[in-house]
């Protein structure tokens, strides 16, 4: 069977969780699939080093670089799939080619319906007209079923994964080196991710300001800062002004894009991850932080509650006072779970290798 994969954004310089999802999925598939053949469709030429590290010299994997002609997905990718006689196309970017051979099956991965609310049509079209849909959480599946008239068995839940060989507790020397690189002093809460309305950044900053205001007289909290990592889009630049209006400008720092090598170290050095989104289809930073030994403060709604599953501090994303109280609570006790239980939980539910086997089983349904 010949499987095509839309790898159009795989080589993005500023990777998000979606790019990493495909990277780990392809890398895992290349380790154990000895029956199918694959063609990855790129927008730009991957280097030999990158390609060999991705597919581990598996000769069943090949790639094509497609030039954009008006629409990369709807024309370039569509034509390539027809000329290559692709049997199944795996799409993870919430968009699929409208025109294709009727014999070609499409499997779409849906990371969350927040994308449909932002972009509208392509994500909805992908769900409706794919032959099979993989949802990355039970929450995402339930949201799809509420929104669209499709059958339950069209959607299969397969979790994302966490690479524990990358995300592990780093030593104090590494942490201090990276803290010095970014000018971070003392203890800090950490946010990592994109910036947008659903990420709830203003409420987190206001809750942190309330925390500082409520507990400023306690010596233990004099050195606490809130560090936020992630590229801020131009339309959201105004968020930089909020700490000034709250008189905590010296206690909030925006890092911008954080390179992959620095991220596990910054997480390891944090007192806790602050990830109190209004809505998440999954919430990968939660798993990465837990794997690094950091505490996690996250929302009691959407997939973040599902993914955290008893290992995190939960709070309502709209209640600033409650978020502030949860920050305080996180300082009041040691980690409340057994580390061995956590690692077993991660291995059982969020192993890239095992979850990629589940993805392969979905693809093999169409043999």
């Amino acid at each position: 069977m010949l499987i095509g994969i839309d790898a159009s954004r795989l080589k993005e310089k500023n990777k998000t969780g979606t790019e990493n999802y495909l990277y780990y999925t392809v890398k895992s598939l290349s380790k154990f699939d000895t029956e199918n053949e694959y063609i990855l469709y790129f927008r730009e030429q991957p280097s030999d080093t990158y390609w060999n590290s991705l597919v581990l010299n598996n000769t069943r994997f090949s790639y094509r670089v497609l030039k954009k002609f008006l629409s990369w997905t709807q024309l370039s990718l569509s034509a390539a799939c027809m000329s290559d006689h692709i049997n199944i196309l795996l799409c993870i970017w919430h968009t699929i080619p409208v025109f294709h051979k009727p014999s070609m099956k499409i499997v779409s991965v849906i990371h969350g319906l927040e994308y449909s609310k932002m972009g509208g049509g392509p994500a909805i079209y992908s769900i409706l007209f794919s032959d099979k849909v993989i949802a990355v959480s039970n929450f995402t599946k339930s949201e799809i079923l509420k929104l669209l008239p499709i059958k339950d068995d069209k959607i299969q839940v397969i979790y994302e994964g966490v690479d524990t060989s990358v995300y592990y507790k780093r030593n104090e020397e590494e942490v201090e080196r990276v803290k010095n690189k970014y000018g971070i002093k003392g203890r800090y809460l950490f946010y990592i991710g994109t910036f947008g309305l659903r990420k709830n950044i203003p409420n987190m900053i206001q809750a942190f300001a309330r925390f500082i205001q409520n507990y400023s007289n306690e010596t233990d909290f004099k050195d606490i800062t809130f560090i936020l990592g992630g590229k801020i889009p131009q339309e959201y630049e105004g968020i930089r002004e909020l700490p000034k209006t709250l008189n905590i400008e010296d206690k909030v720092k925006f890092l911008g894009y954080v390179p992959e090598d620095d991220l596990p170290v910054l997480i390891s050095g944090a007192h806790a991850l602050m990830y109190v989104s209004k809505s998440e289809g999954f919430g990968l930073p939660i798993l990465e932080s837990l794997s690094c030994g950091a505490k996690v403060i996250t929302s009691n709604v959407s997939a973040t509650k599902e993914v955290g599953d008893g290992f995190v501090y939960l709070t309502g994303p709209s209640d600033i006072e409650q978020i502030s109280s949860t920050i305080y609570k996180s300082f009041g006790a040691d980690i409340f779970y057994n580390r061995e239980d956590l690692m077993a939980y991660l291995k059982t539910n969020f192993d890239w290798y095992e979850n990629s086997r589940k993805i392969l089983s979905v693809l093999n349904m169409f043999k």
Side-chain angles (χ1 to χ4, degrees):
M1 187 166 64
L2 183 56
I3 300 170
I5 297 179
D6 178 352
S8 54
R9 287 168 41 192
L10 187 54
K11 287 187 81 316
E12 289 282 332
K13 291 181 180 179
N14 298 340
K15 288 183 180 179
T16 65
T18 312
E19 287 83 21
N20 285 326
Y21 176 94
L22 185 56
Y23 176 85
Y24 280 109
T25 298
V26 171
K27 192 165 188 174
S28 297
L29 288 171
S30 71
K31 291 179 180 178
F32 57 73
D33 190 356
T34 59
E35 296 182 4
N36 300 303
E37 294 188 351
Y38 294 82
I39 300 178
L40 274 67
Y41 295 103
F42 287 92
R43 289 178 184 262
E44 59 182 79
Q45 180 78 29
S47 68
D48 290 343
T49 301
Y50 177 86
W51 177 250
N52 290 331
S53 69
L54 176 65
V55 301
L56 307 174
N57 297 309
N58 187 331
T59 57
R60 289 184 171 273
F61 285 73
S62 61
Y63 69 84
R64 286 184 61 185
V65 179
L66 306 180
K67 293 183 178 180
K68 180 181 178 181
F69 179 70
L70 297 180
S71 169
W72 190 91
T73 301
Q74 301 307 331
L75 293 177
S76 303
L77 179 61
S78 178
C81 287
M82 286 190 272
S83 65
D84 291 335
H85 305 291
I86 294 296
N87 300 121
I88 302 174
L89 180 65
L90 177 64
C91 299
I92 74 157
W93 316 114
H94 293 199
T95 184
I96 63 174
V98 174
F99 303 105
H100 58 85
K101 288 182 178 180
S103 60
M104 187 182 81
K105 305 300 181 182
I106 297 179
V107 175
S108 283
V109 179
I110 301 299
H111 301 272
L113 282 190
E114 61 271 14
Y115 297 93
S116 70
K117 294 170 185 174
M118 293 186 294
I124 299 300
Y125 185 91
S126 297
I127 295 168
L128 289 173
F129 293 98
S130 293
D131 296 280
K132 191 76 174 179
V133 172
I134 295 172
V136 298
S137 65
N138 288 297
F139 171 78
T140 296
K141 178 176 180 176
S142 68
E143 290 293 289
I144 293 171
L145 292 174
K146 288 178 188 176
L147 180 68
L148 298 171
I150 61 175
K151 293 182 178 180
D152 182 279
D153 61 3
K154 182 177 180 177
I155 309 171
Q156 182 165 334
V157 175
I158 302 175
Y159 284 142
E160 298 183 20
V162 59
D163 187 348
T164 55
S165 70
V166 174
Y167 288 92
Y168 60 89
K169 182 72 174 177
R170 303 306 175 94
N171 61 49
E172 290 185 12
E173 184 179 343
E174 285 184 276
V175 170
E176 286 304 313
R177 174 182 57 79
V178 174
K179 283 176 66 176
N180 290 336
K181 174 180 176 179
Y182 292 99
I184 301 170
K185 297 180 180 179
R187 295 176 298 170
Y188 59 96
L189 302 171
F190 187 53
Y191 167 82
I192 185 65
T194 57
F195 283 68
L197 291 177
R198 70 182 178 87
K199 291 297 187 178
N200 208 30
I201 307 294
N203 278 5
M204 285 193 282
I205 293 175
Q206 289 180 69
F208 178 69
R210 186 75 57 86
F211 168 77
I212 295 298
Q213 177 185 354
N214 289 347
Y215 305 106
S216 59
N217 292 328
E218 298 192 26
T219 305
D220 287 347
F221 303 128
K222 293 289 186 182
D223 67 336
I224 305 299
T225 56
F226 187 17
I227 309 299
L228 296 94
K231 184 180 179 181
I232 303 177
Q234 187 172 0
E235 65 272 17
Y236 211 70
E237 278 287 336
I239 193 64
R240 296 182 186 274
E241 300 301 314
L242 182 57
K244 297 178 184 177
T245 64
L246 297 170
N247 296 316
I248 56 167
E249 182 182 1
D250 61 330
K251 290 186 172 295
V252 177
K253 188 179 186 68
F254 298 95
L255 302 184
Y257 174 73
V258 176
E260 289 179 331
D261 290 345
D262 291 344
L263 188 52
V265 187
L266 285 171
I267 294 173
S268 295
H271 163 72
L273 175 78
M274 279 271 282
Y275 202 73
V276 193
S277 304
K278 293 179 180 178
S279 180
E280 289 288 342
F282 189 74
L284 187 56
I286 294 172
L287 299 181
E288 293 168 343
S289 298
L290 289 172
S291 187
C292 286
K295 297 178 181 180
V296 174
I297 301 167
T298 192
S299 302
N300 59 7
V301 298
S302 74
T304 53
K305 182 179 180 181
E306 176 184 342
V307 170
D309 194 38
F311 296 97
V312 299
Y313 293 91
L314 294 171
T315 182
S318 300
D319 190 333
I320 291 171
E321 189 61 47
Q322 187 181 50
I323 299 172
S324 174
S325 297
T326 306
I327 294 172
Y328 181 76
K329 181 180 178 182
S330 74
F331 279 98
D334 293 329
I335 291 176
F336 55 84
Y337 54 81
N338 182 283
R339 181 71 181 172
E340 291 181 359
D341 291 342
L342 169 66
M343 298 312 293
Y345 172 70
L346 296 179
K347 178 64 177 176
T348 301
N349 296 284
F350 307 107
D351 182 83
W352 280 118
Y353 188 87
E354 293 303 324
N355 290 354
S356 295
R357 282 191 177 279
K358 295 175 184 177
I359 293 172
L360 180 60
S361 70
V362 172
L363 299 175
N364 282 337
M365 290 171 57
F366 298 104
K367 275 190 173 180

